[in-house]
């Protein structure tokens, strides 16, 4: 609903095959909620895209936006607790600087990694890699 209210397009690109991981469903849903919510919050226009695909033995989830982006010097710190890139804007949106640190913790608890690619005023891409469950 939030994307719709802001006039944003929300797209999903999902692998055709079934990709299964072992984990805490509620925490993984929380991870996706954090990443999508941030993408919507920091986008005034454009599209937010959520992708899930297989890359070797990993599930790769990407949340991409066309929002305000993140300066290079801030990228290294965005996963620190209470760190906010744009303190005035985040305060107006109701953030405390805890979402991304929580997201990173969830990913690490599931033996995965999280990375970000971004440029100021050019959008951001959050890339989560989680190990796939081997099926026999």
């Amino acid at each position: 609903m939030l994307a719709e209210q802001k006039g944003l397009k929300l797209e999903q690109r999902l692998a055709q095959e079934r990709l299964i991981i072992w984990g805490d469903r509620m925490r993984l849903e929380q991870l996706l909620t954090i990443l999508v919510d941030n993408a919507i919050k920091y986008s005034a226009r454009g599209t937010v895209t959520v992708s899930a695909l297989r890359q070797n033995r990993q599930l790769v989830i990407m949340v991409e936006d066309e929002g305000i982006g993140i300066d290079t010097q801030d990228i290294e710190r965005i996963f620190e607790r209470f760190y906010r890139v744009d303190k005035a804007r985040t305060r107006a949106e109701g953030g405390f600087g805890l979402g991304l640190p929580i997201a990173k913790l969830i990913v690490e608890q599931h033996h995965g990694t999280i990375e970000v690619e971004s440029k100021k005023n050019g959008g951001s891409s959050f890339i989560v890699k989680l190990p796939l469950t081997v099926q026999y």
Side-chain angles (χ1 to χ4, degrees), residues 45-59:
R45 60 176 165 55
T47 303
V48 172
T49 305
V50 180
S51 306
L53 55 98
R54 173 195 294 266
Q55 190 176 72
N56 300 319
R57 295 182 179 174
Q58 295 180 318
L59 166 63

